[in-house]
């Protein structure tokens, strides 16, 4: 089902290999404004292509790209390859190192209705339009989206292990993750990757806006380059990881609320109509509190903190029109009860509301509330991967910012061009034996 191709990647010239930690960039929404500013201060950091600035960001990115090409800052590999990409990391309090294994390739930008790539959240039109404009103007993809596939036999891991043993890059990134990338260019091995993936569905973990931008751009180019069997505008850059035997970690994303019009005591009384509310001794400890039971949350408001647990029987009054895989999610309950019913922000309007902010850093949640900037913070627990897979396969979508797969894939390790003369290759040679 999923057609992937190797990449004739553009990469930073060999002279820059020792400085890769200074040239790569995390996803825009996972770093602070201060961290982003430091990235922009480096004139050859990949953020200038992935999230360009200025009055005409896309045009600025194109000028930057052309400059880097002409000056030899980035160079294109002569042969296409599949890039093994391993991320070694530890979570707070852990001693043993985890490793998330995967590879970067090109995948056809399938429409959602084709049910080859399955999503779990909706997108914002303005953000998708920005991605389309950037892709149309630059014809380059600077950061991969993240997709999951299921392969219980782990047929590809041995080839990735061999590539990682002779890495192109190995360095520690902004979050303390050890990033290692190697390349596979042997046609027989690449053919095996294509063969394994062709029967798979892909679950989109990260990058809904970038992928939807690629889908819309592909649709806009329908009928173009009809003489070409392999068209660059059909494909999208993706980091693919196996759900089996892998360290796929989903971290929680908390909610901050600003501009509360109710008195805090009045809000608490309304919350008590739905939840069992218990005072919690120390707000600082909520970040490590184990919310074992479903539909439980932490609440930090003023100098006080609480635990909230949905009262028995209240689920019978919530979202009865939704399938159970969505209805039973903690965040579905939170957004329907607290933000919609108690605070009066309709679910459809919550995504664009400037009163609700999504924050992964627990300490920052506490700071925002204690400083008086935020009215309160809701501390959430992490989702299980099985829940994400179930929702994706149902065809439904989750509340916004439900998942935070950790660690995030970096941008700038390689760049995938969809410009036809740079994309062109006899990709059919990688399919010949598998189609006999």
């Amino acid at each position: 089902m999923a057609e992937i191709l190797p990449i004739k990647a553009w990469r930073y010239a060999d002279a820059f290999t020792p400085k890769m930690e200074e040239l790569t960039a995390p996803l825009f929404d996972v770093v602070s404004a201060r961290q982003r500013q430091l990235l922009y201060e480096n004139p050859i950091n990949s953020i200038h292509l992935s999230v360009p600035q200025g009055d005409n960001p896309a045009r600025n990115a194109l000028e930057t790209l052309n400059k880097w090409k002409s000056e030899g800052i980035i160079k294109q590999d002569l042969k296409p390859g599949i890039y093994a990409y391993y991320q070694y990391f530890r979570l707070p309090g852990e001693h043993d190192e985890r490793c998330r294994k995967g590879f970067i390739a090109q995948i056809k930008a399938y429409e959602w209705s084709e049910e080859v790539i399955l999503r779990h959240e909706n997108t914002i039109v303005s953000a998708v339009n920005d991605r389309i404009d950037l892709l149309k103007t630059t014809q380059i993809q600077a950061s991969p989206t993240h997709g999951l596939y299921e392969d219980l036999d782990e047929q590809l891991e041995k080839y990735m292990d061999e590539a990682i043993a002779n890495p192109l890059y190995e360095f520690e990134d902004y979050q303390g993750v050890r990033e290692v990338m190697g390349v596979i260019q042997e046609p027989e091995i690449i053919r095996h990757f294509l063969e394994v993936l062709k029967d798979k569905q892909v679950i989109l973990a990260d990058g809904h806006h970038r992928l939807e931008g690629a889908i819309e751009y592909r649709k806009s180019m329908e009928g173009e380059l009809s003489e070409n069997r392999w068209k660059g505008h059909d494909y999208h850059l993706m980091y693919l990881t196996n759900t089996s035997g892998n360290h796929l970690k989903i971290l929680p994303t908390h909610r901050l609320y600003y501009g509360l019009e109710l008195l805090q005591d009045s809000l608490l009384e309304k919350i008590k109509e739905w939840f069992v509310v218990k005072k919690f001794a120390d707000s600082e400890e909520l970040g490590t509190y184990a919310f074992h039971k479903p539909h439980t949350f932490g609440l930090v408001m003023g100098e006080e903190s609480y635990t909230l647990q949905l009262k028995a029987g209240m689920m019978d009054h919530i979202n009865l029109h939704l399938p159970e895989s969505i209805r039973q999610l903690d965040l579905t309950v939170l957004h329907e009860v607290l933000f919609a019913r108690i605070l009066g922000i309709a679910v459809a309007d919550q995504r664009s509301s400037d009163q609700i902010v999504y924050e992964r850093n627990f300490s920052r949640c506490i700071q925002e509330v204690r400083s008086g900037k935020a009215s309160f913070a809701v501390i959430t627990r992490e989702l299980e991967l099985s829940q994400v897979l179930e929702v994706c396969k149902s065809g439904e979508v989750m509340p916004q910012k439900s998942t935070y797969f950790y660690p995030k894939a970096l941008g700038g390790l390689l760049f995938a061009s969809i410009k036809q003369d740079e994309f062109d290759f006899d990709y059919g040679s990688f399919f010949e034996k598998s189609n006999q």
Side-chain angles (χ1 to χ4, degrees):
M1 295 176 72
E3 180 185 297
I4 66 168
L5 293 179
I7 311 163
K8 279 175 61 182
W10 286 86
R11 296 189 292 115
Y12 283 103
D14 291 345
F16 294 103
T17 297
K19 298 182 178 180
M20 285 303 293
E21 70 273 13
E22 301 171 18
L23 305 178
T24 50
L27 297 179
F28 193 76
D29 63 347
V30 302
V31 292
S32 67
R34 184 176 299 176
Q35 287 174 304
R36 286 196 294 269
Q37 187 55 42
L38 286 175
L39 297 174
Y40 283 119
E41 288 174 5
N42 185 335
I44 60 170
N45 186 281
S46 61
I47 197 171
H48 294 289
L49 298 186
S50 59
V51 193
Q53 294 180 305
D55 294 335
N56 192 332
R59 176 59 57 182
N60 292 343
L62 178 60
E63 291 175 359
T64 297
L65 176 63
N66 289 337
K67 182 174 186 288
W68 289 2
K69 287 178 179 179
S70 65
E71 295 181 358
I73 292 170
I74 61 173
K75 295 184 177 182
Q76 189 173 27
D77 290 343
L78 297 177
K79 294 193 297 183
I82 282 176
Y83 291 81
Y85 179 27
Y86 286 13
Q87 294 178 293
Y88 298 86
F89 65 101
R90 292 184 181 89
L91 295 174
E94 292 185 344
H95 179 267
D96 294 335
E97 188 176 57
R98 299 170 180 251
C99 176
R100 187 174 68 190
K101 299 183 177 185
F103 63 92
I104 300 176
Q106 298 179 111
I107 187 170
K108 189 164 282 188
Y110 293 97
E111 292 189 50
W112 307 123
S113 60
E114 296 179 79
E115 297 185 352
V116 177
I117 301 176
L118 308 179
R119 59 180 169 174
H120 66 265
E121 69 174 46
N122 283 317
T123 51
I124 300 172
V125 172
S126 60
V128 172
N129 288 339
D130 287 344
R131 297 295 98 190
I132 296 170
D133 187 36
L134 183 61
L135 187 60
K136 179 180 179 180
T137 303
T138 65
Q139 304 280 284
I140 202 81
Q141 298 170 96
S143 60
T145 55
H146 182 192
L148 315 175
Y149 66 94
E150 296 178 88
D151 176 26
L152 296 176
D153 297 328
E154 300 180 20
Q155 301 171 68
L156 304 177
E157 274 66 7
K158 65 178 180 179
Y159 304 111
M160 293 190 287
D161 288 345
E162 290 170 1
I164 289 296
N166 297 287
L168 297 169
Y169 308 127
E170 183 169 2
F171 61 93
E172 190 171 289
D173 73 6
Y174 73 104
Q175 54 193 344
V177 173
R178 185 158 59 94
E179 306 275 359
V180 187
M181 193 175 81
V183 64
I184 298 167
Q185 292 182 314
E186 296 82 359
E188 288 295 326
I189 298 176
I190 291 175
R191 189 174 294 121
H192 189 51
F193 274 73
L194 274 55
E195 181 74 16
V196 168
L197 265 291
K198 77 174 186 179
D199 296 322
K200 306 294 182 188
Q201 285 181 310
V202 172
I203 305 294
L204 188 61
D206 265 326
H208 287 70
H209 290 91
R210 281 170 289 152
L211 180 52
E212 186 149 324
I215 293 168
E216 292 302 318
Y217 182 62
R218 179 191 176 195
K219 287 163 64 176
S220 75
M221 295 293 288
E222 190 172 352
E224 299 291 328
L225 302 175
S226 56
E227 70 280 5
N228 294 78
R229 180 181 176 189
W230 311 100
K231 305 172 184 64
H233 57 250
D234 281 349
Y235 292 88
H236 173 72
L237 184 67
M238 184 175 283
Y239 167 49
L240 290 150
T241 54
N242 187 1
T243 60
S244 175
N246 221 332
H247 284 290
L248 288 164
K249 187 65 180 174
I250 304 175
L251 301 182
T253 301
H254 312 303
R255 272 60 174 155
L256 286 163
Y257 188 82
Y258 293 81
L260 180 66
E261 295 180 359
L262 288 171
L263 293 174
Q264 290 186 4
D265 287 347
S266 299
L267 174 62
L268 208 56
E269 287 305 310
K270 289 179 176 291
I271 289 174
K272 287 178 179 178
E273 295 175 10
W274 288 87
F275 295 90
V276 175
V277 179
K278 295 181 181 178
K279 212 161 194 178
F280 194 80
D282 187 349
S283 303
E284 305 287 345
E285 298 298 318
L286 271 176
T288 57
Y289 186 77
F291 295 103
H292 289 295
K293 296 181 180 179
H295 314 135
T296 59
F297 311 92
L299 174 67
V300 180
M301 188 164 56
E303 295 298 318
E304 304 294 342
S305 56
Y306 310 86
T307 59
L308 315 180
Q309 182 182 348
L310 190 69
K311 289 180 177 179
M314 294 307 265
M315 278 300 298
D316 296 339
H317 305 285
I318 300 173
N319 294 324
L320 299 180
H321 62 287
L322 291 176
E324 285 299 291
S325 60
I326 294 290
R327 196 172 82 90
Q328 292 290 338
L329 292 174
D330 287 355
L331 293 177
T332 301
V333 171
L334 177 66
H335 281 264
E336 170 64 27
V337 175
L338 179 57
F339 296 125
R341 301 204 183 191
I342 295 177
L343 293 169
I345 305 175
V347 172
D349 298 330
Q350 290 174 15
R351 190 174 185 85
S352 58
S353 172
D354 58 5
Q355 291 184 276
I356 305 171
V357 171
Y358 305 90
E359 178 56 66
R360 287 168 283 270
N361 188 308
F362 171 77
S363 297
R364 198 169 293 140
C365 287
I366 300 298
Q367 291 168 10
E368 285 293 287
V369 175
R370 291 287 164 78
S371 69
K373 295 177 183 177
S375 303
F376 63 81
V378 180
I379 309 305
T380 65
R381 64 176 184 157
E382 64 196 49
L383 277 172
E384 297 294 330
L385 179 59
S386 59
Q387 292 177 290
V388 179
L389 298 179
E390 185 180 1
V391 169
C392 287
K393 291 174 181 178
S394 75
E396 299 292 332
V397 293
M398 294 181 176
Q400 57 271 32
K401 302 294 183 182
S402 292
T403 60
Y404 180 71
F405 283 85
Y406 181 86
K408 296 297 185 184
L410 286 182
L413 289 167
L414 56 83
F415 307 92
S417 177
I418 60 170
K419 190 178 178 184
Q420 194 61 33
D421 62 339
E422 296 177 348
F423 172 86
D424 270 334
F425 193 80
D426 179 21
Y427 295 103
S429 61
F430 296 111
F431 291 85
E432 287 171 356
K433 289 188 178 180
S434 62
N435 287 337
Q436 288 179 353

